[in-house]
Amino acid sequence: MKETIAKLEDKARSLRVSIIKTLHKSQSGHTGGSLSAIDIITVLYFHTMRHDSANPQWDGRDRFVLSKGHAAPAQYVALAEAGYFPKEDLMMLRRLGSHLQGHPDSKVTPGVEVCTGSLGQGLSLANGMAMGLKLDGKPNHVYAVLGDGELQEGQVWEAAMAAAHYKLDNLCAIVDANGLQIDGEVDRVMAVAPIADKFRAFGWHTIEIDGHDIGAIIDAFEQAKSLTGKPTVIVARTVKGKGVSFFENKASYHGVTPSDDELPRALECLGEQCNL
Amino acid sequence: MSDMMATRDAYGEVLAELGQDNERIVVLDADLSGSTKTAVFGKKFPDRFFNMGIAEANMVVTAAGLAAIGKIPFVSTFAIFASGRAWEQIRQSVAYPKANVKVVATHGGVTVGEDGGSHQSVEDIAIMRAIPNMTVIVPADGVETKAAIKAIADYKGPVYVRLGRNKVPTVFPKDYSFAIGKGSELVTGSDLTFVTTGLMTSAAVKAAEALKSEGISARVVHIGTVKPLDQDILVKAAKETQLIITAEEHSIIGGLGGAVAELLSEHCPVPVHRLGVKDRFGTSGKAEELLKYFELTADDLAGAAREALKRK
């Protein structure tokens, strides 16, 4: 297990490097929320989920929904690393004609299941998938990553109600709770706390973890898998911009990409030499 | 035209019938299954029927999730909530990804009646038509509703179908076959063409009969699919009759009249008179009273034709 954790930690670090390089190249996109979610996404793609990059439509795959679709770079670097498309394609992020759109688009990107990015809709999509899989008697699981600011959308709670009502125990929602949204601290813009209590009141099994502790993330997913009769939410406490000290905990880095000056410093933070 | 049937009743019946043959069909409703008639399906196939409660936004997007697993979801509620409350959800999670979701909205138009303007959807055709990838269907009667629902179950992609609350006269023969994007010439004529959709088609057929006795030859073209529009049948009618009168139980802005005017202005500019709700909201009243109030009876259509012909 220790070895697994160490390998995943290294994978997450290298994916952070990829996110920084990708966003520096595109000069458009969301840095802070991609870095906060990448540990969770790394565990999902390289440990927890069953999937096959050689066959993206494989019937036996688990499903992933990035409800906080602005963190698309985090999903794209994971998909490229897993072999869904060449890593060079990452440099085309957000360009005209690219198959890597600003927000996840199932029509053009192998490995992306649904179109997301309009906040508040991802959990409903995940519900539908979980319901469909149950209807077919399939054992596959559905994972949906939401932002904490996103919880301000009322539809999230419509979906939370429905997931518990239909006992979707093949569904696991993860809240990437970095505490920041575009206009500032979530607590100041529109408080959503206490998150776990709210989901619990809606009938969910809740787990609270440090969202950068790979071992804790693995354990939480294992717990979610073994639970029956209700959906699970993992409230993952994270740091916006995690891994790059001068991006960390700054709302201003929500939709800002690394500048030419910042690039080498950011890579240095991640233990990477800048060869550009 | 002696038979009467509500298009929503036809929907409930055909849905239950289709569910028998196609196990991929699932149905979602938002606490209105008795009114939308999806309860008929729900009673027969409880495992494939999901009541999502009074939460239309979640219902529509859940359907998109079910479609991503390969199901063919039919989503129903009143037209005002489907097209209004869940508009952005339909845009983002259904139309944008080309999800195989069928939004079948009942209680469209002013004939919902007594519930009043808040519940009378007069904008839904316009706002659904504006969304890329979206097909918009407004059947004239129960026969066409059944044929259209069968056709869209086989068609892969997003569709919006607008149905009504009340019984309407049957205009199509039982063996009528529906094709997405094809209009139907129900009455031949050379002086003018009524282009209609939904329950206005039966009114146009009646109006054409009345005009015939006065020596006026009115053609009736029913547009079952408002988008994509049948260009051939409309341009032909415009060329041959040189006068178009559209009628719909919907705002004159952006609906059938708007669509026809857009098309003909580019391909065969002739006068297009638009009958419908004139940029206003509905109001409480009985369905028949409201059709009179909004000048959408067969008499109103015939009167509009006489007036327009004077200026031809």
Side-chain angles (χ1 to χ4, degrees):
Chain A
M1 186 70 176
K2 262 187 185 168
E3 198 191 340
T4 308
I5 292 171
K7 275 187 181 160
L8 287 168
E9 282 171 346
D10 191 54
K11 181 81 84 184
R13 188 198 62 82
S14 89
L15 291 180
R16 281 194 162 84
V17 169
S18 254
I19 288 171
I20 293 297
K21 288 181 177 171
T22 301
L23 285 168
H24 170 257
K25 180 76 178 177
S26 67
Q27 284 301 300
S28 170
H30 297 79
T31 307
S34 296
L35 291 171
S36 69
I38 194 64
D39 293 305
I40 297 156
I41 288 172
T42 301
V43 173
L44 280 171
Y45 274 97
F46 301 100
H47 186 268
T48 301
M49 289 200 303
R50 294 185 305 165
H51 62 112
D52 178 6
S53 60
N55 183 9
Q57 297 300 311
W58 174 46
D59 200 38
R61 72 196 189 276
D62 291 327
R63 272 32 173 220
F64 176 77
V65 177
L66 185 63
S67 190
K68 48 170 281 180
H70 53 278
Q75 185 178 12
Y76 295 160
V77 297
L79 288 171
E81 177 69 23
Y84 282 87
F85 48 81
K87 289 181 187 172
E88 303 88 80
D89 293 4
L90 292 169
M91 295 299 120
M92 290 297 287
L93 174 70
R94 288 187 168 228
R95 300 266 179 95
L96 183 65
S98 168
H99 71 82
L100 300 181
Q101 294 286 294
H103 291 80
D105 188 333
S106 52
K107 299 191 299 297
V108 292
T109 312
V112 170
E113 303 280 358
V114 282
C115 293
T116 53
S118 176
L119 296 178
Q121 300 190 24
L123 192 56
S124 304
L125 284 165
N127 280 357
M129 290 172 154
M131 286 158 71
L133 291 166
K134 268 186 171 291
L135 209 49
D136 290 343
K138 297 251 174 73
N140 316 60
H141 288 255
V142 182
Y143 298 91
V145 171
L146 288 76
D148 49 356
E150 182 180 7
L151 303 183
Q152 290 157 0
E153 289 282 4
Q155 189 182 337
V156 172
W157 304 104
E158 294 182 4
M161 212 185 306
H165 180 84
Y166 283 109
K167 300 185 171 58
L168 302 179
D169 50 14
N170 54 346
L171 170 73
C172 178
I174 306 99
V175 178
D176 174 24
N178 61 37
L180 294 172
Q181 58 190 111
I182 297 181
D183 274 357
E185 293 158 26
V186 174
D187 282 350
R188 278 196 320 116
V189 174
M190 180 51 67
V192 296
I195 297 171
D197 287 351
K198 285 194 171 81
F199 274 97
R200 207 174 295 127
F202 275 93
W204 287 57
H205 176 63
T206 61
I207 304 170
E208 294 192 69
I209 59 165
D210 170 352
H212 301 304
D213 179 338
I214 298 285
I217 300 171
I218 293 173
D219 290 346
F221 284 134
E222 290 305 314
Q223 204 186 119
K225 260 193 225 173
S226 62
L227 191 91
T228 56
K230 50 167 83 174
T232 295
V233 63
I234 299 168
V235 180
R237 301 286 163 199
T238 59
V239 172
K240 198 149 186 162
K242 175 72 177 178
V244 178
S245 58
F246 51 97
F247 290 168
E248 287 187 358
N249 283 318
K250 284 185 184 141
S252 55
Y253 275 97
H254 176 90
V256 173
T257 54
S259 66
D260 288 349
D261 291 344
E262 287 165 341
L263 178 66
R265 290 164 54 213
L267 294 178
E268 202 180 325
C269 288
L270 295 166
E272 188 88 351
Q273 288 287 316
C274 181
N275 303 317
L276 298 173
Chain B
M1 293 214 322
S2 55
D3 289 359
M4 299 283 286
M5 186 181 206
T7 49
R8 61 174 170 144
D9 283 320
Y11 171 52
E13 283 178 21
V14 74
L15 202 53
E17 193 183 311
L18 283 172
Q20 190 78 49
D21 304 331
N22 192 339
E23 287 196 351
R24 289 168 65 207
I25 292 178
V26 295
V27 176
L28 297 88
D29 204 298
D31 192 42
L32 288 169
S33 62
S35 299
T36 63
K37 302 298 173 186
T38 61
V40 181
F41 179 95
K43 207 173 165 194
K44 206 166 158 194
F45 308 104
D47 292 352
R48 286 189 273 145
F49 174 78
F50 300 101
N51 200 326
M52 301 306 292
I54 309 164
E56 295 79 9
N58 179 51
M59 173 174 73
V60 162
V61 182
T62 302
L66 280 156
I69 297 295
K71 302 295 172 193
I72 305 172
F74 280 76
V75 178
S76 292
T77 182
F78 289 180
I80 193 72
F81 309 127
S83 69
R85 180 72 65 103
W87 181 83
E88 203 244 2
Q89 283 75 13
I90 291 175
R91 181 193 188 272
Q92 306 287 7
S93 292
V94 175
Y96 181 52
K98 294 189 188 168
N100 195 21
V101 173
K102 321 300 171 187
V103 182
V104 182
T106 64
H107 296 65
V110 296
T111 49
V112 180
E114 290 85 343
D115 279 343
S118 64
H119 283 54
Q120 292 169 11
S121 140
V122 294
E123 314 93 331
D124 57 323
I125 298 173
I127 57 189
M128 284 297 130
R129 193 168 76 83
I131 306 175
N133 297 340
M134 185 58 91
T135 293
V136 180
I137 293 171
V138 189
D141 65 8
V143 171
E144 188 179 31
T145 301
K146 288 187 180 179
I149 297 296
K150 281 180 186 165
I152 65 169
D154 290 334
Y155 164 83
K156 198 173 180 195
V159 180
Y160 179 80
V161 182
R162 188 215 220 198
L163 304 177
R165 175 192 182 187
N166 298 338
K167 287 189 169 147
V168 292
T170 299
V171 292
F172 283 107
K174 284 217 169 358
D175 61 350
Y176 166 72
S177 75
F178 179 91
I180 295 170
K182 286 283 168 216
S184 316
E185 189 174 306
L186 285 167
V187 180
T188 56
S190 53
D191 294 331
L192 74 127
T193 303
F194 286 116
V195 176
T196 54
T197 196
L199 68 85
M200 283 299 104
T201 297
S202 64
V205 171
K206 244 175 118 178
E209 279 168 13
L211 291 168
K212 197 176 175 185
S213 64
E214 299 165 27
I216 298 169
S217 170
R219 184 179 299 192
V220 176
V221 169
H222 167 68
I223 296 295
T225 312
V226 177
K227 186 189 174 191
L229 210 48
D230 186 340
Q231 181 171 328
D232 295 344
I233 204 168
L234 289 168
V235 171
K236 185 167 174 276
K239 273 187 186 152
E240 290 174 2
T241 68
Q242 293 292 313
L243 174 63
I244 302 288
I245 297 177
T246 65
E248 60 198 307
E249 193 197 358
H250 182 272
S251 171
I252 55 165
I253 298 172
L256 174 71
V260 170
E262 287 166 13
L263 177 85
L264 294 181
S265 70
E266 286 183 359
H267 296 280
C268 184
V270 300
V272 176
H273 294 263
R274 294 167 299 149
L275 306 183
V277 178
K278 294 175 175 60
D279 195 20
R280 55 208 282 211
F281 289 110
T283 181
S284 285
K286 289 193 178 117
E288 318 83 76
E289 292 173 340
L290 289 165
L291 287 174
K292 274 192 188 132
Y293 181 79
F294 287 106
E295 300 175 340
L296 289 170
T297 65
D299 284 349
D300 293 313
L301 266 59
R306 284 182 208 107
E307 284 303 308
L309 278 169
K310 280 182 202 163
R311 285 180 277 152
K312 191 175 172 182

